[in-house]
Amino acid sequence: MTPEFDCSFTLFKARAHERSIPLTAHLELTYACTWRCAFCYNSRHKDIAPLPLRNWLAVLDDLRSLGTLFVTLTGGEPMAHPHFFEIAREVRRRHLAVTVFTNGSLIDSAAADRMADIRPLSIVLSLHGATAPTHDRTTGVPGSFDALMHAVRHLQSRALPVVLRTPMTCWNEHEMDALIALAQGFEIPLRLDPALTPCDDGSRDPLDLQMSASGIDRLMRRLSAIGSLPTSIRVPGGSNCGVGRSTLAIDPEGTVYPCIQWRHAAMGNVRTTPLTELWTESAARKEAAAVALQVNGWLVSRDEAFATTPYCPGEAVLRAGSPFAASHAFELQARATQRLRGPS
């Protein structure tokens, strides 16, 4: 991406944000999953009342009407949905960019061929360790590491845009350098994410696997060395994030949220109300957008470390019941990042 394009796209996103255009939509097609990851925020692994295909297609029409550009198909394991490829094709047919979040367990040669027909913007694969014992321990499925490696090779052989994403935990932090080396060996990007969140049902069990303080510090140093320190640019009067303005999420049963992490206040359900109406009329969306403004002001008023570190108010509500509740892990990341940046 050239600096000129990056600047233009940043301006474009800002305009969309001002006009409350949901540029990005996360569609959780199913809660079903082939793995049982120890820190998974999904509290169940089956759908009670799956949204019919016709409703998903109506959602895609409404997203196009609302001005959405980017659709992420996720889950659970989205490829476990019986109509995954049909929905993905329909996203593309509406000229929307599609990203797929998958664990790769269902990607064989035939599935990779079908994925190549869709040409996703990116395929984000979950990697939980640089070795099979660490990865398989996290997923709870023996052989899942080898299956993932096969998926990477299938997709790469078709020149598909693959990204590896690793939620960092106390189980894999000792393999940080090996994870980076593994991704470099494949010549594909790797996202190392230090944030774990509570389950959607409020359970805090995933937080038991958070990185150690020394692990967070080492991660920030490693990211700094490669020029990838996570950064947010906040200004007085701005918004912390796109919740309620430029993002939305829909769960497998049709419930709509202002963000994939903002789970405590739903906007409604597309079974009974068109998405376009929910987006324009929902009080829950407007409340979330207002909170994003307040959170931004709170972070800016604290200090430079807080003002420049990514922060999720939805995660804070899940974890502590308030969007104004910075976790210890966030504070560690903010302070480590500030030290590495040096004085402004």
Side-chain angles (χ1 to χ4, degrees):
M1 184 179 293
T2 65
E4 294 81 6
F5 180 87
D6 188 47
C7 182
S8 297
F9 189 65
T10 298
L11 180 61
F12 176 76
K13 288 195 295 183
R15 293 280 175 82
H17 188 87
E18 292 171 1
R19 299 173 185 177
S20 296
I21 297 173
L23 283 184
T24 302
H26 284 77
L27 308 185
E28 294 180 301
L29 298 185
T30 179
Y31 285 136
C33 191
T34 52
W35 291 356
R36 292 294 181 269
C37 294
F39 57 79
C40 184
Y41 64 83
N42 282 326
S43 54
R44 60 181 176 151
H45 298 285
K46 63 180 180 179
D47 308 324
I48 296 174
L51 192 67
L53 177 60
R54 66 178 182 277
N55 291 103
W56 281 121
L57 299 185
V59 162
L60 298 182
D61 288 334
D62 284 352
L63 288 174
R64 182 170 169 79
S65 297
L66 287 167
T68 300
L69 294 182
F70 305 101
V71 172
T72 296
L73 302 181
T74 182
E77 171 46 56
M79 294 183 66
H81 191 281
H83 299 293
F84 167 78
F85 282 106
E86 184 172 356
I87 293 171
R89 282 195 303 271
E90 290 298 318
V91 174
R92 296 292 290 117
R93 194 172 70 81
R94 288 161 176 77
H95 305 291
L96 306 175
V98 61
T99 292
V100 179
F101 283 5
T102 175
N103 63 33
S105 62
L106 301 178
I107 298 178
D108 55 15
S109 181
D113 284 340
R114 299 182 74 181
M115 199 74 79
D117 290 337
I118 297 166
R119 304 303 303 181
L121 182 66
S122 64
I123 302 167
V124 182
L125 294 166
S126 300
L127 172 67
H128 300 302
T131 62
T134 301
H135 180 92
D136 293 0
R137 177 189 184 191
T138 303
T139 66
V141 178
S144 58
F145 179 80
D146 291 339
L148 177 60
M149 294 300 101
H150 285 304
V152 171
R153 295 185 183 97
H154 283 309
L155 296 171
Q156 279 199 310
S157 69
R158 290 152 179 84
L160 288 166
V162 179
V163 175
L164 293 173
R165 176 182 174 272
T166 300
M168 297 300 298
T169 69
C170 60
W171 288 357
N172 64 21
E173 63 181 68
H174 68 286
E175 294 185 348
M176 192 183 305
D177 291 336
L179 285 162
I180 294 170
L182 179 64
Q184 289 174 339
F186 280 116
E187 297 184 333
I188 53 180
L190 171 66
R191 300 173 186 167
L192 299 175
D193 187 353
L196 296 183
T197 64
C199 292
D200 290 343
D201 65 358
S203 169
R204 297 172 58 85
D205 289 349
L207 303 184
D208 293 340
L209 297 183
Q210 287 182 133
M211 296 182 77
S212 66
S214 61
I216 290 175
D217 186 72
R218 192 159 67 90
L219 174 60
M220 294 302 109
R221 291 180 182 277
R222 194 68 177 83
L223 293 177
S224 178
I226 60 176
S228 297
L229 271 176
T231 301
S232 287
I233 300 175
R234 296 187 179 91
V235 296
S239 180
N240 174 73
C241 56
V243 61
R245 292 185 187 274
S246 58
T247 68
L248 64 82
I250 304 178
D251 77 9
E253 292 157 18
T255 304
V256 185
Y257 301 93
C259 169
I260 199 164
Q261 290 279 40
W262 193 268
R263 296 286 178 157
H264 61 285
M267 295 162 55
N269 194 287
V270 296
R271 292 176 189 267
T272 57
T273 309
L275 180 59
T276 49
E277 182 177 337
L278 292 176
W279 181 259
T280 55
E281 303 297 332
S282 169
R285 179 187 72 78
K286 296 171 185 176
E287 177 190 0
V291 169
L293 294 175
Q294 296 162 13
V295 166
N296 182 84
W298 168 65
L299 291 168
V300 169
S301 71
R302 290 290 300 267
D303 57 34
E304 184 182 357
F306 273 52
T308 57
T309 301
Y311 179 85
C312 178
E315 183 273 333
V317 173
L318 281 171
R319 180 180 43 76
S322 168
F324 307 96
S327 68
H328 182 55
F330 170 82
E331 294 202 34
L332 289 172
Q333 181 180 336
R335 300 305 173 199
T337 301
Q338 184 181 41
R339 289 194 300 272
L340 290 164
R341 288 198 190 103
S344 58

